Amino acid sequence: MASPFDSVRWIWVNGEMVPFADAKVHLLTHALHYGSAWFEGIRCYETVSGSAVFRLRDHMVRLETSCKLYRADLPYTVDELCRATVETIQANELPACYIRPIIWRGFGSVGVNPLPCPVEAAIAVWPWGSYLGEGAADAGVDVCVSSWRRTNSESLPSIAKAAGGYLNCQLVKMEALLAGFAEGIALDSDGYVSEGSSENLFLVQDGVLWTPPLCCSILPGITRDTVLKIAQEDGIPVREEHISRGALYACDELFLTGTAAEITPVRSVDRIPVRAHGPGPVTRQLQARFNAVIRGETLDRHGWLTPVPALVPVGAGG
Ligand code: PMP
């Protein structure tokens, strides 16, 4: 069966392009035992003027912040990681792809103390379609409220995108999938709505856009920020305030945001249909504006698109 990785030739590892099959780590890698890795998920899109990475610098700054929180000295600057990302896409000749930069504590010693371990870096790219299923952006998805709570950010800072934290997300995701839902929504430790296993959440009630604030143990999503900025530009009133579980069932529209999921409408929660039962008018408006931005069809006023110039093979052309 064809795999999205069949078309991947190179992975950038610690400053070098390494053939896909050779990009490996030692079994005693600290991150494997203790979850000490930090990563990003970024997308490169085909725009009207060639391939471009969406909000590349913002993602790398978040990666830098994640490492800083865990006292891991990032061996590369944000600019170096941005350049390496563009080079990795070029090397693999992928016009559109998902990008996974990862920083991890490698092999140095085995024990909880991570400080003796080297900090290593890699950037992988591969083609990746719709995360929550084909057609999800139009039809919407069915979700449930998870029985698992989102890890409290007093114990694990949710502003850091750390590998270890994703054990909580895996519990939410598996429970949802095995019960026949596309995604699970975790509440925070106080019972307010937090986020999906890898998406932030928005609801629309009486024309107002609501999303949980950062203090509800959410990852500060870059798509969330994009939606907030677009809504502001479009004059849609926004409230970053606590959302009760009940509001999920009562709202007019509900959608999830994330680099992988983009803007995915929710059509039911725990089998209770959301009033719009698919993308409602505000969701559609935001999706259309978001799609125009990522495809470079509107003025890039925030400098969100980093072009990936196509490499001209040596000896080609006139
Ligand atoms: N929350 C979690 C837990 C995530 O893993 C993600 C995906 N990175 C998001 C939210 C959405 O963040 P972004 O829009 O930056 O992809």
Side-chain angles (χ1 to χ4, degrees):
M1 208 175 95
S3 142
F5 300 100
D6 290 345
S7 55
V8 183
R9 295 209 304 269
W10 302 99
I11 297 186
W12 183 94
V13 185
N14 294 324
E16 311 268 331
M17 284 303 165
V18 175
F20 182 87
D22 301 334
K24 294 177 180 168
V25 294
H26 195 273
L27 275 176
L28 295 184
T29 294
H30 195 269
L32 185 59
H33 298 248
Y34 303 107
S36 39
W38 307 276
F39 66 95
E40 279 302 318
I42 314 173
R43 273 192 193 267
C44 172
Y45 291 102
E46 280 188 273
T47 77
V48 291
S49 43
S51 296
V53 183
F54 187 61
R55 302 197 65 173
L56 175 58
R57 204 182 158 77
D58 295 322
H59 279 281
M60 291 309 185
V61 168
R62 185 170 69 183
L63 183 61
E64 186 184 51
T65 305
S66 299
C67 293
K68 189 173 166 185
L69 261 135
Y70 286 89
R71 303 173 198 274
D73 291 328
L74 193 55
Y76 300 95
T77 63
V78 164
D79 285 336
E80 284 168 340
L81 291 171
C82 291
R83 270 199 299 277
T85 300
V86 171
E87 284 166 20
T88 311
I89 299 166
Q90 289 173 324
N92 285 287
E93 298 179 64
L94 290 171
C97 56
Y98 184 81
I99 305 156
R100 170 55 52 82
I102 183 160
I103 310 295
W104 71 97
R105 300 272 195 185
F107 170 57
S109 69
V110 179
V112 169
N113 176 15
L115 298 172
C117 300
V119 178
E120 308 203 53
I123 302 171
V125 299
W126 63 89
W128 208 8
S130 174
Y131 176 66
L132 290 172
E134 280 313 313
D138 292 321
V141 292
D142 301 307
V143 308
C144 61
V145 173
S146 183
S147 69
W148 294 101
R149 294 289 173 100
R150 179 84 176 113
T151 318
N152 191 317
S153 45
E154 286 169 22
S155 302
L156 207 60
S158 66
I159 60 168
K161 196 167 164 61
Y166 279 82
L167 285 171
N168 174 246
C169 303
Q170 289 175 46
L171 290 172
V172 172
K173 185 74 179 181
M174 288 187 291
E175 182 186 59
L177 289 177
L178 294 174
F181 299 98
E183 187 54 287
I185 307 299
L187 306 178
D188 71 7
S189 53
D190 294 323
Y192 290 103
V193 173
S194 180
E195 61 181 353
S197 75
S198 46
E199 309 87 12
N200 293 113
L201 175 145
F202 285 82
L203 65 77
V204 180
Q205 183 73 62
D206 300 323
V208 178
L209 190 61
W210 292 68
T211 197
L214 297 189
C215 61
C216 288
S217 300
I218 63 163
L219 179 78
I222 287 171
T223 321
R224 174 185 183 274
D225 181 70
T226 305
V227 166
L228 288 174
K229 291 210 165 71
I230 291 174
Q232 205 177 11
E233 286 167 12
D234 281 9
I236 300 169
V238 174
R239 292 209 185 158
E240 278 182 75
E241 283 176 33
H242 286 79
I243 295 175
S244 68
R245 176 175 181 168
L248 294 179
Y249 307 111
C251 65
D252 297 329
E253 299 177 42
L254 188 61
F255 62 89
L256 302 171
T257 65
T259 297
E262 299 176 318
I263 297 179
T264 300
V266 173
R267 65 180 170 210
S268 72
V269 183
D270 294 329
R271 310 270 179 235
I272 299 178
V274 173
R275 192 161 284 121
H277 205 58
V282 176
T283 311
R284 278 193 194 282
Q285 180 183 344
L286 291 167
Q287 278 181 318
R289 287 270 280 117
F290 179 79
N291 288 338
V293 169
I294 59 175
R295 291 188 195 128
E297 289 164 1
T298 49
L299 180 71
D300 182 16
R301 70 175 78 178
H302 302 283
W304 281 341
L305 293 170
T306 301
V308 181
L311 281 184
V312 180
V314 181

PDB file of all heavy atoms in Angstrom, residues 165-177:
ATOM      1  N   GLY A 165       3.730  15.503  26.808  1.00  0.00           N
ATOM      2  CA  GLY A 165       2.358  15.973  27.018  1.00  0.00           C
ATOM      3  C   GLY A 165       1.361  15.280  26.115  1.00  0.00           C
ATOM      4  O   GLY A 165       0.159  15.233  26.409  1.00  0.00           O
ATOM      5  N   TYR A 166       1.842  14.737  25.025  1.00  0.00           N
ATOM      6  CA  TYR A 166       0.942  14.092  24.069  1.00  0.00           C
ATOM      7  C   TYR A 166       0.452  12.720  24.520  1.00  0.00           C
ATOM      8  O   TYR A 166      -0.397  12.127  23.858  1.00  0.00           O
ATOM      9  CB  TYR A 166       1.579  14.065  22.665  1.00  0.00           C
ATOM     10  CG  TYR A 166       1.368  15.424  22.012  1.00  0.00           C
ATOM     11  CD1 TYR A 166       2.206  16.475  22.290  1.00  0.00           C
ATOM     12  CD2 TYR A 166       0.262  15.660  21.215  1.00  0.00           C
ATOM     13  CE1 TYR A 166       1.973  17.736  21.775  1.00  0.00           C
ATOM     14  CE2 TYR A 166       0.018  16.910  20.687  1.00  0.00           C
ATOM     15  CZ  TYR A 166       0.878  17.945  20.970  1.00  0.00           C
ATOM     16  OH  TYR A 166       0.616  19.190  20.460  1.00  0.00           O
ATOM     17  N   LEU A 167       0.946  12.230  25.649  1.00  0.00           N
ATOM     18  CA  LEU A 167       0.348  11.002  26.195  1.00  0.00           C
ATOM     19  C   LEU A 167      -1.079  11.302  26.610  1.00  0.00           C
ATOM     20  O   LEU A 167      -1.993  10.508  26.397  1.00  0.00           O
ATOM     21  CB  LEU A 167       1.180  10.490  27.377  1.00  0.00           C
ATOM     22  CG  LEU A 167       2.489   9.812  26.960  1.00  0.00           C
ATOM     23  CD1 LEU A 167       3.344   9.524  28.173  1.00  0.00           C
ATOM     24  CD2 LEU A 167       2.207   8.524  26.196  1.00  0.00           C
ATOM     25  N   ASN A 168      -1.303  12.482  27.189  1.00  0.00           N
ATOM     26  CA  ASN A 168      -2.663  12.909  27.556  1.00  0.00           C
ATOM     27  C   ASN A 168      -3.535  12.999  26.293  1.00  0.00           C
ATOM     28  O   ASN A 168      -4.662  12.493  26.261  1.00  0.00           O
ATOM     29  CB  ASN A 168      -2.559  14.261  28.281  1.00  0.00           C
ATOM     30  CG  ASN A 168      -3.918  14.874  28.572  1.00  0.00           C
ATOM     31  OD1 ASN A 168      -4.254  15.918  28.030  1.00  0.00           O
ATOM     32  ND2 ASN A 168      -4.710  14.246  29.421  1.00  0.00           N
ATOM     33  N   CYS A 169      -2.980  13.578  25.234  1.00  0.00           N
ATOM     34  CA  CYS A 169      -3.736  13.731  23.981  1.00  0.00           C
ATOM     35  C   CYS A 169      -4.063  12.363  23.372  1.00  0.00           C
ATOM     36  O   CYS A 169      -5.128  12.171  22.780  1.00  0.00           O
ATOM     37  CB  CYS A 169      -2.937  14.556  22.976  1.00  0.00           C
ATOM     38  SG  CYS A 169      -2.490  16.180  23.605  1.00  0.00           S
ATOM     39  N   GLN A 170      -3.136  11.409  23.524  1.00  0.00           N
ATOM     40  CA  GLN A 170      -3.372  10.072  22.958  1.00  0.00           C
ATOM     41  C   GLN A 170      -4.537   9.376  23.664  1.00  0.00           C
ATOM     42  O   GLN A 170      -5.332   8.671  23.036  1.00  0.00           O
ATOM     43  CB  GLN A 170      -2.106   9.218  23.066  1.00  0.00           C
ATOM     44  CG  GLN A 170      -0.999   9.674  22.121  1.00  0.00           C
ATOM     45  CD  GLN A 170       0.288   8.889  22.328  1.00  0.00           C
ATOM     46  OE1 GLN A 170       0.283   7.669  22.424  1.00  0.00           O
ATOM     47  NE2 GLN A 170       1.393   9.593  22.411  1.00  0.00           N
ATOM     48  N   LEU A 171      -4.645   9.570  24.978  1.00  0.00           N
ATOM     49  CA  LEU A 171      -5.768   8.974  25.716  1.00  0.00           C
ATOM     50  C   LEU A 171      -7.088   9.552  25.206  1.00  0.00           C
ATOM     51  O   LEU A 171      -8.061   8.825  24.984  1.00  0.00           O
ATOM     52  CB  LEU A 171      -5.625   9.250  27.222  1.00  0.00           C
ATOM     53  CG  LEU A 171      -4.482   8.516  27.924  1.00  0.00           C
ATOM     54  CD1 LEU A 171      -4.317   9.019  29.357  1.00  0.00           C
ATOM     55  CD2 LEU A 171      -4.733   7.006  27.926  1.00  0.00           C
ATOM     56  N   VAL A 172      -7.111  10.861  24.995  1.00  0.00           N
ATOM     57  CA  VAL A 172      -8.322  11.534  24.495  1.00  0.00           C
ATOM     58  C   VAL A 172      -8.670  11.017  23.103  1.00  0.00           C
ATOM     59  O   VAL A 172      -9.824  10.676  22.811  1.00  0.00           O
ATOM     60  CB  VAL A 172      -8.094  13.070  24.471  1.00  0.00           C
ATOM     61  CG1 VAL A 172      -9.251  13.785  23.776  1.00  0.00           C
ATOM     62  CG2 VAL A 172      -7.889  13.615  25.884  1.00  0.00           C
ATOM     63  N   LYS A 173      -7.651  10.931  22.249  1.00  0.00           N
ATOM     64  CA  LYS A 173      -7.887  10.547  20.841  1.00  0.00           C
ATOM     65  C   LYS A 173      -8.347   9.087  20.726  1.00  0.00           C
ATOM     66  O   LYS A 173      -9.312   8.783  20.019  1.00  0.00           O
ATOM     67  CB  LYS A 173      -6.594  10.764  20.040  1.00  0.00           C
ATOM     68  CG  LYS A 173      -6.723  10.532  18.555  1.00  0.00           C
ATOM     69  CD  LYS A 173      -7.473  11.667  17.865  1.00  0.00           C
ATOM     70  CE  LYS A 173      -7.578  11.442  16.373  1.00  0.00           C
ATOM     71  NZ  LYS A 173      -8.282  12.558  15.715  1.00  0.00           N
ATOM     72  N   MET A 174      -7.659   8.184  21.445  1.00  0.00           N
ATOM     73  CA  MET A 174      -8.023   6.765  21.347  1.00  0.00           C
ATOM     74  C   MET A 174      -9.434   6.525  21.863  1.00  0.00           C
ATOM     75  O   MET A 174     -10.211   5.793  21.249  1.00  0.00           O
ATOM     76  CB  MET A 174      -7.031   5.891  22.127  1.00  0.00           C
ATOM     77  CG  MET A 174      -5.679   5.789  21.464  1.00  0.00           C
ATOM     78  SD  MET A 174      -4.606   4.598  22.302  1.00  0.00           S
ATOM     79  CE  MET A 174      -4.263   5.413  23.846  1.00  0.00           C
ATOM     80  N   GLU A 175      -9.761   7.149  22.982  1.00  0.00           N
ATOM     81  CA  GLU A 175     -11.102   6.965  23.543  1.00  0.00           C
ATOM     82  C   GLU A 175     -12.155   7.403  22.533  1.00  0.00           C
ATOM     83  O   GLU A 175     -13.159   6.709  22.308  1.00  0.00           O
ATOM     84  CB  GLU A 175     -11.245   7.786  24.831  1.00  0.00           C
ATOM     85  CG  GLU A 175     -12.592   7.618  25.498  1.00  0.00           C
ATOM     86  CD  GLU A 175     -12.767   8.557  26.683  1.00  0.00           C
ATOM     87  OE1 GLU A 175     -12.679   9.791  26.502  1.00  0.00           O
ATOM     88  OE2 GLU A 175     -12.982   8.056  27.787  1.00  0.00           O
ATOM     89  N   ALA A 176     -11.919   8.551  21.890  1.00  0.00           N
ATOM     90  CA  ALA A 176     -12.880   9.088  20.915  1.00  0.00           C
ATOM     91  C   ALA A 176     -13.003   8.156  19.708  1.00  0.00           C
ATOM     92  O   ALA A 176     -14.109   7.765  19.314  1.00  0.00           O
ATOM     93  CB  ALA A 176     -12.446  10.485  20.471  1.00  0.00           C
ATOM     94  N   LEU A 177     -11.864   7.771  19.135  1.00  0.00           N
ATOM     95  CA  LEU A 177     -11.891   6.931  17.921  1.00  0.00           C
ATOM     96  C   LEU A 177     -12.582   5.599  18.188  1.00  0.00           C
ATOM     97  O   LEU A 177     -13.411   5.146  17.400  1.00  0.00           O
ATOM     98  CB  LEU A 177     -10.470   6.693  17.401  1.00  0.00           C
ATOM     99  CG  LEU A 177      -9.766   7.894  16.777  1.00  0.00           C
ATOM    100  CD1 LEU A 177      -8.337   7.520  16.380  1.00  0.00           C
ATOM    101  CD2 LEU A 177     -10.524   8.441  15.567  1.00  0.00           C
TER     102      LEU A 177
END
